[in-house]
Amino acid sequence: MQAIIFETMKKQAEMLQNKEISCVELTSAYLESIKQQDDVIGAYLHVAEESALATAVKVDEKRVKGEVLHPLAGLPMAIKDNICTVDMPTTCASKMLEGYTSPYDATVVKLLKEADAIVLGKVNMDEFAMGASTENSYYKKTRNPVATDRVPGGSSGGSAAAVAAHMATYALGSDTGGSVRQPASFCGVVGLKPTYGRISRSGLIAFASSLDQIGPLGRSVEDAAAVYKLLSRHDEMDSTSGKSEALSVPELLGKSVKGMKIALPIAFFSEGIQVEVKEAVLQAAKVFESLGAIVEEVSLKGIDAALPAYYLISSAEASSNLARFDGVKYGYRTEDFQSIEELYKRTRGEGFGREVKRRILLGTYALSSGYYDAYYQKALKIRSMVLNEYTQIFEKYDFVLSPVAPSTAYRFGEHGKSPVEMYLGDIYTVPVNIAGLPGLSINCGFDQNHLPIGLQLIGKAHDEATLLSAGFAFEQSKKLWRVER
Ligand code: GLN
């Protein structure tokens, strides 16, 4: 493989700007990397070779003409397959949407195109973003590039694997309960779940609308910040989109960690956590102290209740959002039906996978009359309780430090025996979505099997700058620390 794909995104952008490399060369290098590796890794569901190269030619022409281009212009990237694109299929890794192409581009895709990004293709995921290992994809398995006998995490497993295996400079994922942060952690890359509403959801196929958020995955905090800066802006097509503009990249990365107050929730480290994960996260807290931050232990009691509340709320919303897949308008339609009722039933029975059906059943049950108060209302109460707890913490602290997941990447099938076992892995990520807060996942070490361990920074709403600055400082200090040793 060509050396260029191992360079940082910043270096690649500089080389493009200085015309040391052409965009066609860079794009070809990534396409070659996909050809060489993706039979094993399985990150891509669709590779858009022709359109990627055609766009690359145009970007090169613009540069020759001396046009001022966006800093991300010409960088080849990948998009999770639940984000709508007019010129490629969008399947949500479901049989239900096999061969479906959207009539419009998601707002994020429009922004990428305006910035002259090169879209390499669409990447694998858990069906309709439900899962934490990408094993729920109808189409194929995605392997963790760090250890190919293990899952890449999920549901944005294709996005994380593509970035980790140098098959894209960066990728977009979506995070409803951890799906950007957890695969980033499992594959050893960076993932940012922005504050709810910071990035438009228009054209993101909905799983649970009050929790869903698009986020970038990249090789470094700086990369994630650059993509966040491009995508985080108000969009009239999304009524929940925030009004304020994102800060510039130097501002997003430039806050000093010195004097920052960090909350360390002790409850996160008690049971069910892999020892090496616990040790690496506590070690990271020491690194922040050495950078001049003040770390204090806090109690976060709502955490245990957040998980069941998340599964109730997200499934309730999913049952309503996925009602549109009935064989009439989109995608799959059963061949065998006599009545409209039968068309609905058979289409949904044949088109959806097990996990999706499980969530629809759970959600429909929780919303049905007689159970609504007992389940859905109660979950909403827990939701405000969790939000209140975080609000109180943020009166005193700049951010919360936590693991991303209780373990490192596991082997295929290992968590598939009971769905609840898989759900428990979301314990540290779902409270962030429940409260609508930003969360950043960065690498903080490796376990004895050399598997990456993720560190999660959770911040105040709309304060991505604190997280990105702290994450950036941590990354820099880690590099220095490595050199010194
Ligand atoms: N693992 C969680 C779930 O299965 C989160 C999924 C997501 O963030 N899309 O619901």
Side-chain angles (χ1 to χ4, degrees), residues 55 59 62-63 68-75 108-118 170 226-227 230-231 233:
T55 315
V59 176
K62 284 190 187 180
R63 204 169 315 261
V68 181
L69 300 181
H70 189 276
L72 296 181
L75 294 175
V108 289
V109 175
K110 283 191 198 141
L111 292 171
L112 287 166
K113 288 184 176 170
E114 275 166 31
D116 292 309
I118 308 293
Y170 65 95
V227 182
L230 168 68
L231 304 180
R233 53 175 91 176

Side-chain angles (χ1 to χ4, degrees), residues 257-262 285 287-295 399:
V257 175
K258 207 164 178 200
M260 274 192 192
K261 289 193 76 185
I262 304 173
V287 172
F288 278 112
E289 276 178 339
S290 74
L291 293 171
I294 302 144
V295 181
F399 65 92

Side-chain angles (χ1 to χ4, degrees), residues 165-485:
H166 302 277
M167 296 193 290
T169 47
Y170 65 95
L172 295 191
S174 68
D175 191 312
T176 305
S179 282
V180 163
R181 289 161 286 156
Q182 184 259 24
S185 154
F186 277 18
C187 294
V189 299
V190 172
L192 172 68
K193 181 256 167 215
T195 308
Y196 182 75
R198 288 266 21 156
I199 294 183
S200 169
R201 286 181 297 113
S202 174
L204 167 69
I205 296 181
F207 162 10
S209 315
S210 77
L211 303 159
D212 296 342
Q213 189 58 199
I214 291 175
L217 293 99
R219 304 194 61 76
S220 69
V221 174
E222 202 171 3
D223 296 356
V227 182
Y228 168 74
K229 165 66 189 155
L230 168 68
L231 304 180
S232 174
R233 53 175 91 176
H234 178 66
D235 179 21
E236 283 186 352
M237 298 297 285
D238 174 359
S239 60
T240 59
S241 152
K243 293 272 186 296
S244 54
E245 275 275 316
L247 300 173
S248 68
V249 174
E251 283 169 314
L252 285 171
L253 299 175
K255 278 178 113 173
S256 170
V257 175
K258 207 164 178 200
M260 274 192 192
K261 289 193 76 185
I262 304 173
L264 194 68
I266 30 172
F268 285 19
F269 300 94
S270 54
E271 304 161 38
I273 181 166
Q274 190 180 323
V275 179
E276 294 149 298
V277 173
K278 176 177 170 174
E279 280 169 2
V281 174
L282 295 178
Q283 179 59 34
K286 296 219 173 80
V287 172
F288 278 112
E289 276 178 339
S290 74
L291 293 171
I294 302 144
V295 181
E296 283 174 8
E297 290 185 355
V298 297
S299 73
L300 241 183
K301 295 182 290 295
I303 183 87
D304 288 342
L307 192 71
Y310 163 81
Y311 273 93
L312 249 139
I313 295 168
S314 62
S315 300
E317 292 185 24
S319 73
S320 158
N321 276 326
L322 271 61
R324 74 193 69 183
F325 302 105
D326 55 9
V328 178
K329 287 203 197 79
Y330 320 91
Y332 182 75
R333 176 182 294 172
T334 183
E335 284 176 0
D336 178 20
F337 63 95
Q338 303 298 328
S339 63
I340 185 85
E341 175 97 12
E342 220 181 348
L343 165 72
Y344 294 159
K345 280 189 183 158
R346 283 188 189 265
T347 296
R348 291 167 68 78
E350 294 160 18
F352 288 135
R354 285 183 75 82
E355 185 59 28
V356 175
K357 285 184 196 161
R358 186 178 292 125
R359 309 263 182 133
I360 293 174
L361 284 172
L362 174 67
T364 309
Y365 180 79
L367 289 177
S368 56
S369 74
Y371 296 105
Y372 185 87
D373 289 343
Y375 296 116
Y376 187 66
Q377 282 293 358
K378 205 170 196 173
L380 290 185
K381 282 191 189 137
I382 294 172
R383 186 173 196 168
S384 26
M385 199 179 87
V386 172
L387 181 57
N388 284 342
E389 258 194 279
Y390 275 115
T391 310
Q392 276 171 21
I393 285 188
F394 290 131
E395 279 168 11
K396 271 184 76 183
Y397 297 94
D398 293 288
F399 65 92
V400 174
L401 202 61
S402 124
V404 177
S407 76
T408 52
Y410 37 86
R411 291 196 175 80
F412 289 96
E414 217 173 294
H415 276 25
K417 287 160 220 123
S418 117
V420 175
E421 205 183 304
M422 181 88 81
Y423 300 168
L424 287 172
D426 300 333
I427 183 107
Y428 305 124
T429 47
V430 296
V432 176
N433 303 70
I434 289 274
L437 304 173
L440 177 69
S441 167
I442 54 178
N443 178 266
C444 69
F446 297 87
D447 71 5
Q448 57 183 353
N449 294 319
H450 312 290
L451 300 168
I453 298 172
L455 174 71
Q456 182 175 214
L457 279 57
I458 303 163
K460 289 177 202 157
H462 302 287
D463 189 15
E464 278 75 6
T466 293
L467 300 188
L468 291 165
S469 298
F472 184 60
F474 181 79
E475 235 176 35
Q476 299 301 312
S477 79
K478 223 172 46 165
K479 276 182 201 148
L480 294 176
W481 186 70
R482 274 197 196 143
V483 173
E484 276 167 21
R485 280 164 52 111

